[in-house]
Every structure is written in structure tokens, then in C-alpha cells.
């Protein structure tokens, strides 16, 4: 009997000790995780650019807004007070928001906007993400100036999977209008035409030496010879993919969208709006001043775009001082041509996850979404001034021939959570209603989509594959498609129409990159996969803001799972009402 008791006791004692150790480890991990409290005041601030001072919507009077720094596992609590004249929300771009969809931020999707004079506190935890993300307004075109970097360092006590850089610098690429951006999009909405293109690109809010009245404030990044630094590059531009480079220097790409990647070397990177890329740069050139520069990758044939170039300066501390009265210009880099799709493709197809990953192989939901522009016929009785698109039409955009319409009385998440009828339907088509030659000569009968608020329902845990197929309606272009609440694996991309018989052979099921924004090639396709493990309503949209304005979006309704940890949290008490 005694021997029997001892044999039972030993495993029990081992289990008890293991349990205590596990609790201790969890307690230590939780003790190291911090809560970061911030106040964001949205307000109009005088900002001078391109010789003119404009009343600009900012956060805390800063343009760009404050950089938030956290560690993986930390919690952010950000109280947003709206002292501007416009409705506003803040989206934490790329944050997974596990069960906290109420904090995601897109207007009328997960919340009603914060009205002028109102406030709302966003609370969420960063889980399993490291690298560079960002935050921005998700109301109308306010994100033209309301944005900032979100830097996620490794957990306390852990480090990067690459040698620790000497310093780290966020590089926020943006677009500047010498006008009120809200007026720009309101005019386009009124006329049905394309909005005016931006007047400048910016690096950390500054246009740089090549623009009028700008050289005094050009951003300078100081380096010591021989040191390796980390640049956290973010495309915060509204409507333009951008090439970025530094004269005479190479980049080692180590991360993208807050996921580590297998390092690869390149002299130029391309980012669509919404995308982030972490690069190491070593100061291994003769001490001097070198331009950093960004300019458009403009893939839409015949469409107007801002063809200017923004610059900052990489300055070696040991660079010789010029003689008095002598101006030595920094070394200019060569950038790819505006329409250099080959360079863009070489870059986007170079990404691999840092190690072998678990890609869903059995698929529950096999979806095929066309993405692209369209033209609406002038409505009966409308004046010609409201139909200034091509041949008296109005520009529109759609996925699977549905042009997405935002609700206005409730957010979609609120309507779903409270069972409010009539706000949306769940019949978004899984495949295009009509099959056609997507990248060929498209019949004019297919140019006009229907307008609706349609969602696609996913059960919790569903394994999802989406073919994102670009179309050549009106004009084909590269579309940066962003999915809220999720990262996804990009299995492959290609040109022409996706062919399920032959193109599946190109799928990378070993180490595909994990992203939150995919660049769908011009006149081409991308294939993504993810597991629907985050309940809520999640918008998927083109991150060219003019395209989301025109309806290039849809949303997934992901149902709750079985347990509490698989269910959406209850809404916060201060959730704004419409």
C-alpha cells in the first residue's frame, strides 16, 4: 500500500511543481508586460509647407503624430479627444486586435465616429507581433495628416533575430496637398471625377530639398562610419505606391508588417500605402551626405499622379565641412522609372518568412475576389457637373462587382453584436457573379457595379484562401489590399488571369511571408491564406484611399467560437454612438 501511495504521489508532486513553475513563469511574463497610457488630442494646427501655412488636423499638434513604442505583449490605452471640426476614428494598422474588434477603428465598421467634442479610449494588447506597424485616422481623408509610427520591440529579455542595430529611425513616407485634403475628396465625390493628386511627398512630414521653401527643414539622419542602423520604413501615403532608396547604400530587409523575414539585400524597396518594411543599412561609404529619396511607382496607365521626389539626408558625422559659402549637395540616388513594374515585382516576390511556417493546407472557404475600378452611368436627372468622370460618368470601384457602401446609423460590428436588422446582408459573393477575361478587353456591360453593404460570413476557425484578381476595367493598376484583424500568408502572385490548374504549382507552402497588406500586381493576382480565429467584423479594402472612397472594399463577419476566449469581448462603455 505504502509503495502504491508513493508511486501516485511522485507524479502528483511533479505535476504540482510543474504547475507552480508554469504559474511563476506566466506571472513573470505578465509582470514584464506593461500598460502604456497615451492621450491623443485631435486638433487643427497651423502647419507650414511649400511656402504656405495651412490649418492642418494633427494629433497633439504634431505632424506626423507621436511615435508609440511598446514591447510584444504590452497593452496600449489611448484616449482620443476630438477637438477638430470633423468626425474622426483611429485605426491601429496591422494590430491583430484579438477579441478587441471594438478598438480596431475603421469608421462605421467597428465603431461610430468620435464626433467633434467627443472622446473614446482604445484598449488593446499586442500579442505575438514584433517590428513596425503604424496608426492613422480611418475617417474620410483625415489620415493625410493624422498618422504616426507604432514600434513593437521584442519581449523584455529577448532580442532581434539579427545583430542589434546601433540606432533605429522610423521613416514615414507621406503625401501632402497644398489644400485641405477633406476639401479635395469632397470635390471629387461631388463631381464624380478623380481627386486632385498630391503636391508633394514627404519623409517624416518634410518634403525635402527638391521642393520650394522646404530645404531648411529637410530631415537629416546622422550616422557614424561603420555602424549598422535600422530604418523602419512606413508608406503612410494616401494614394501612391512608392519606391524608396538611399544613394550608394544597400538595404538588408529583415521585417515587414511586424513579422520577421529571411534577410535579403536590395538597393531599392517598394511599399504600397499601409505597408511597412524594416531594413538594416550599414554606413560603409566614404563619409559624406547622401540623399534618401522616395517617388511614385505609378502602375495605372494614363492616370495622373504626383511625379515629384521627396528627400531626406543620410549624413556621416565625419563628413567634411564645406568651405564657407560653398554648398555641397548630397549624392543623388537613382530611382526606378515610375512604371518599373519589373523592379516592384522583383522586390515583392523576394519575401519569405524567417522560418518554416504552418500554412493551412486543408481549405474550408475557397474565395475568388475581383478587385478594380468601374464607371457608373450618370444618374437620371443629375447635372453634368456631378458626372465629370470619363465620357460623362462617375468613377466607382468594387470587389466581385459589389461597390461597398458604409452604413451611417450604426457600425457593422454594433449591428451584428446587437442583432440590428437591415444594416447589412451576408450574401457577398464567394466568386465573381460573371466570369470574364479579367485582365483583357472587358465588355462595357461589366463596368457598372451594384452598390450594397454585403458581408461574407466565416465560422470561427475556418481555413480561408482568397484569390485576389486585379481587373483591367477602365485601367489596371497595383492594388494594396489590407485585411483588418488578421495577418495572412501570401502564397504566390502573378500576372494575367489566375489559372487554378497551373498557378497552384507556384504556391509557397513552406515559408510564405506573413503580411497584413498585399500588393496585387497590375493586371495580375495574389493568393492569400489565413485561419478565421478572431471574431468580429473586419473590413478588407484597397489602401489607396480614393479607391476605398469609391467602394473597393468588403467585410468579413467572423462568428464567435465555442469558449469565452473564442468570443468577441463586450463593447466598452464609452463606445461612441452614431
Amino acid at each position: 500500500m505504502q509503495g502504491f501511495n508513493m508511486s501516485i504521489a511522485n507524479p502528483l508532486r511533479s505535476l504540482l511543481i510543474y504547475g507552480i513553475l508554469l504559474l511563476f513563469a506566466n506571472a513573470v511574463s505578465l509582470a514584464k508586460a506593461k500598460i502604456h497610457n497615451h492621450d491623443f488630442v485631435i486638433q487643427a494646427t497651423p502647419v507650414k509647407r511649400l511656402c504656405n501655412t495651412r490649418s492642418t488636423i494633427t494629433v497633439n499638434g504634431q505632424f506626423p503624430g507621436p511615435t508609440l513604442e511598446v514591447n510584444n505583449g504590452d497593452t496600449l490605452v489611448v484616449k482620443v479627444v476630438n477637438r477638430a471640426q470633423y468626425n474622426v476614428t483611429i485605426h491601429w494598422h496591422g494590430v491583430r486586435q484579438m477579441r478587441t474588434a471594438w478598438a480596431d477603428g475603421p469608421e462605421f465598421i467597428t465603431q461610430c465616429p468620435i464626433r467633434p467634442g467627443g472622446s473614446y479610449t482604445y484598449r488593446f494588447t499586442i500579442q505575438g507581433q514584433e517590428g513596425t506597424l503604424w496608426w492613422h485616422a480611418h475617417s474620410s481623408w483625415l489620415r493625410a495628416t493624422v498618422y504616426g509610427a507604432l514600434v513593437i520591440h521584442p519581449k523584455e529579455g529577448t532580442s532581434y533575430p539579427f545583430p542589434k542595430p546601433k540606432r533605429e529611425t522610423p521613416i514615414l513616407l507621406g503625401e501632402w496637398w497644398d489644400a485641405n485634403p477633406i476639401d479635395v475628396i469632397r470635390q471629387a465625390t461631388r463631381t464624380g471625377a478623380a481627386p486632385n493628386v498630391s503636391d508633394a511627398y514627404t519623409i517624416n512630414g518634410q518634403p525635402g530639398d527638391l521642393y520650394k521653401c522646404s530645404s531648411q527643414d529637410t530631415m537629416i539622419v546622422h550616422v557614424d562610419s561603420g555602424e549598422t542602423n535600422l530604418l523602419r520604413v512606413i508608406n503612410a501615403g494616401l494614394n501612391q505606391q512608392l519606391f524608396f532608396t538611399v544613394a550608394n547604400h544597400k538595404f538588408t530587409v529583415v521585417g515587414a508588417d511586424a513579422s520577421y523575414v529571411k534577410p535579403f539585400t536590395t538597393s531599392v524597396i517598394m511599399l504600397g500605402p499601409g505597408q511597412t518594411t524594416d531594413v538594416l543599412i550599414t554606413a560603409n561609404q566614404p563619409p559624406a551626405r547622401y540623399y534618401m529619396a522616395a517617388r511614385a511607382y505609378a502602375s495605372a496607365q494614363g492616370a495622373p499622379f504626383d511625379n515629384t521626389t521627396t528627400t531626406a539626408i543620410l549624413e556621416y558625422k565625419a563628413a567634411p565641412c564645406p568651405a564657407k559659402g560653398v554648398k555641397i549637395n548630397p549624392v543623388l540616388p537613382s530611382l526606378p522609372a515610375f512604371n518599373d513594374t519589373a523592379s516592384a515585382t522583383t522586390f515583392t516576390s523576394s519575401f519569405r518568412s524567417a522560418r518554416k511556417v504552418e500554412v493551412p493546407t486543408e481549405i474550408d472557404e475557397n474565395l475568388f475576389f475581383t478587385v478594380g475600378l468601374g464607371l457608373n452611368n450618370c444618374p437620371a436627372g443629375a447635372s453634368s457637373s456631378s458626372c465629370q468622370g470619363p465620357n460623362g460618368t462617375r468613377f466607382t470601384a468594387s470587389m466581385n462587382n459589389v461597390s461597398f457602401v458604409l452604413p451611417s446609423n450604426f457600425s457593422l460590428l454594433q449591428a451584428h453584436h446587437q442583432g440590428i436588422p437591415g444594416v447589412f446582408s451576408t450574401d457577398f459573393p464567394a466568386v465573381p457573379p460573371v466570369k470574364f477575361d479579367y485582365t483583357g478587353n472587358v465588355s462595357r456591360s461589366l463596368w457598372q457595379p451594384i452598390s450594397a453593404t454585403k458581408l461574407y460570413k466565416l465560422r470561427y476557425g475556418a481555413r480561408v484562401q482568397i484569390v485576389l484578381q486585379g481587373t483591367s476595367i477602365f485601367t489596371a493598376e497595383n492594388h494594396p489590399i489590407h485585411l483588418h484583424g488578421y495577418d495572412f500568408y501570401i502564397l504566390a502572385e502573378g500576372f494575367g488571369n489566375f489559372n487554378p490548374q497551373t498557378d497552384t504549382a507556384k504556391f509557397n507552402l513552406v515559408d510564405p511571408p506573413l503580411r497584413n497588406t498585399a500588393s496585387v500586381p497590375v493586371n495580375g493576382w495574389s493568393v492569400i491564406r489565413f485561419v478565421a480565429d478572431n471574431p468580429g467584423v473586419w473590413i478588407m479594402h484597397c489602401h489607396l484611399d480614393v479607391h476605398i472612397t469609391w467602394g473597393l472594399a468588403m467585410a468579413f463577419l467572423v462568428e464567435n467560437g465555442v469558449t469565452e476566449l473564442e468570443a468577441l469581448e463586450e463593447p466598452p462603455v464609452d463606445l461612441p454612438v452614431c
Side-chain angles (χ1 to χ4, degrees):
M1 263 321 260
Q2 198 178 2
F4 175 77
N5 280 339
M6 284 301 290
S7 67
I8 293 286
N10 281 338
L12 281 174
R13 189 170 59 189
S14 299
L15 272 173
L16 191 63
I17 291 167
Y18 175 73
I20 290 167
L21 285 171
L22 196 64
L23 281 170
F24 178 73
N26 282 341
V28 168
S29 170
L30 286 170
K32 284 187 174 176
K34 296 188 184 74
I35 297 173
H36 302 263
N37 290 281
H38 294 276
D39 291 306
F40 276 15
V41 178
I42 312 291
Q43 61 190 56
T45 304
V47 174
K48 186 175 184 181
R49 296 290 184 276
L50 308 181
C51 315
N52 296 317
T53 300
R54 299 204 168 274
S55 179
T56 301
I57 306 302
T58 66
V59 170
N60 301 348
Q62 297 171 241
F63 170 64
T67 294
L68 304 185
E69 296 198 48
V70 299
N71 291 83
N72 180 2
D74 288 355
T75 295
L76 271 164
V77 179
V78 185
K79 182 178 182 181
V80 177
V81 177
N82 186 5
R83 293 202 182 128
Q85 70 267 43
Y86 305 110
N87 293 339
V88 73
T89 63
I90 300 290
H91 168 51
W92 313 93
H93 184 110
V95 173
R96 281 294 318 266
Q97 297 290 2
M98 300 302 294
R99 303 178 55 231
T100 52
W102 304 106
D104 189 45
E107 184 178 64
F108 294 115
I109 304 294
T110 58
Q111 68 168 98
C112 295
I114 307 166
R115 305 286 181 190
S119 68
Y120 177 48
T121 301
Y122 294 88
R123 294 177 177 84
F124 55 91
T125 300
I126 307 284
Q127 300 178 53
Q129 295 181 284
E130 292 179 13
T132 307
L133 294 175
W134 63 301
W135 55 265
H136 61 81
H138 214 295
S139 285
S140 183
W141 273 23
L142 281 185
R143 81 169 180 88
T145 54
V146 177
Y147 63 85
L150 172 54
V151 173
I152 308 167
H153 297 289
K155 283 188 174 176
E156 292 277 354
T158 65
S159 60
Y160 300 119
F162 46 83
K164 192 171 181 343
K166 186 74 190 282
R167 1 167 171 243
E168 305 179 8
T169 309
I171 302 288
L172 293 109
L173 310 177
E175 278 184 276
W176 178 263
W177 275 261
D178 204 2
N180 178 349
I182 303 294
D183 292 343
V184 173
I185 189 55
R186 282 179 176 170
Q187 182 192 7
T189 305
R190 203 166 47 244
T191 63
N196 293 339
V197 299
S198 54
D199 296 288
Y201 299 113
T202 56
I203 297 177
N204 290 9
Q206 295 295 342
D209 286 3
L210 307 184
Y211 297 89
K212 61 185 179 181
C213 306
S214 301
S215 55
Q216 287 297 100
D217 300 301
T218 297
M219 187 209 165
I220 298 175
V221 177
H222 294 283
V223 293
D224 278 323
S225 288
E227 71 183 18
T228 297
N229 293 332
L230 179 67
L231 302 182
R232 301 177 175 275
V233 190
I234 299 164
N235 185 350
L238 251 70
N239 293 318
Q240 194 59 64
Q241 289 87 348
L242 294 167
F243 288 120
F244 174 76
T245 191
V246 177
N248 295 12
H249 290 72
K250 286 203 178 313
F251 299 135
T252 300
V253 178
V254 292
D257 292 1
S259 290
Y260 295 120
V261 301
K262 276 194 177 69
F264 66 95
T265 304
T266 178
S267 58
V268 66
I269 64 176
M270 192 284 286
L271 304 92
Q275 293 183 322
T276 72
T277 307
D278 291 345
V279 298
L280 296 173
I281 181 169
T282 300
N284 56 9
Q285 294 300 304
R289 303 169 86 223
Y290 298 87
Y291 272 131
M292 304 176 161
R295 77 172 185 194
Y297 163 48
S299 59
Q301 214 171 353
F305 66 96
D306 178 350
N307 64 1
T308 61
T309 302
T310 180
T311 55
I313 296 169
L314 185 78
E315 183 171 296
Y316 283 66
K317 289 182 182 170
C321 290
K324 197 172 181 186
V326 176
K327 185 171 185 275
I328 300 177
N329 288 325
V331 180
L332 260 173
S334 63
L335 278 153
F338 295 118
N339 62 352
D340 190 345
T341 292
S343 286
T345 306
T346 299
F347 178 69
T348 55
S349 57
S350 296
F351 284 90
R352 302 281 181 274
S353 277
R355 57 187 62 85
K356 190 177 186 301
V357 293
E358 293 294 318
V359 185
T361 48
E362 300 290 312
I363 300 299
D364 303 306
E365 296 277 0
N366 212 334
L367 308 176
F368 188 105
F369 292 175
T370 56
V371 297
L373 303 188
L375 296 173
N376 279 333
N377 294 331
C378 199
S383 72
S384 58
S385 65
S386 65
C387 299
Q388 293 180 33
N391 302 317
T393 59
R394 292 179 58 82
F395 271 111
T396 184
S398 66
M399 287 189 174
N400 277 0
N401 207 46
V402 180
S403 189
F404 190 75
V405 178
L406 284 172
S408 55
N409 296 327
F410 302 96
S411 73
L412 294 175
L413 188 61
Q414 188 185 1
H416 160 59
H417 188 70
Q418 297 176 8
I420 301 166
V423 179
F424 63 84
S425 62
T426 55
D427 57 346
F428 186 86
V431 295
V434 179
K435 284 187 175 173
F436 58 97
D437 180 1
Y438 308 113
T439 56
N441 211 347
V442 183
S443 161
R444 290 300 287 258
S445 63
L446 295 167
W447 284 34
Q448 183 153 324
I450 63 161
S451 295
T453 310
K454 293 177 182 285
L455 277 57
Y456 191 90
K457 194 181 281 189
L458 295 170
R459 68 168 176 78
Y460 184 91
R463 294 157 298 187
V464 184
Q465 173 175 296
I466 310 173
V467 177
L468 296 165
Q469 173 69 63
T471 66
S472 58
I473 294 173
F474 184 67
T475 185
E477 63 185 295
N478 182 299
H479 295 279
I481 301 295
H482 171 48
L483 174 59
H484 288 227
Y486 287 89
D487 287 327
F488 47 74
Y489 291 112
I490 302 179
L491 304 192
E493 61 177 53
F495 293 98
N497 298 331
F498 177 76
N499 184 330
Q501 274 69 50
T502 56
D503 287 331
T504 48
K506 300 171 187 167
F507 286 5
N508 175 4
L509 300 173
V510 177
D511 58 358
L514 192 64
R515 302 296 299 259
N516 62 55
T517 306
S519 288
V520 178
V522 56
N523 255 333
W525 50 267
S526 292
V527 178
I528 66 173
R529 282 187 192 174
F530 64 95
V531 176
D533 60 358
N534 193 10
V537 176
W538 307 104
I539 188 171
M540 185 166 79
H541 64 89
C542 181
H543 220 279
L544 304 178
D545 270 32
V546 61
H547 289 182
I548 188 175
T549 305
W550 289 338
L552 214 171
M554 58 79 64
F556 289 106
L557 193 168
V558 181
E559 297 177 303
N560 284 339
V562 176
T563 68
E564 187 187 351
L565 290 178
E566 296 174 347
L568 178 68
E569 291 181 1
E570 286 299 306
V573 290
D574 64 338
L575 188 74
V577 293
C578 284

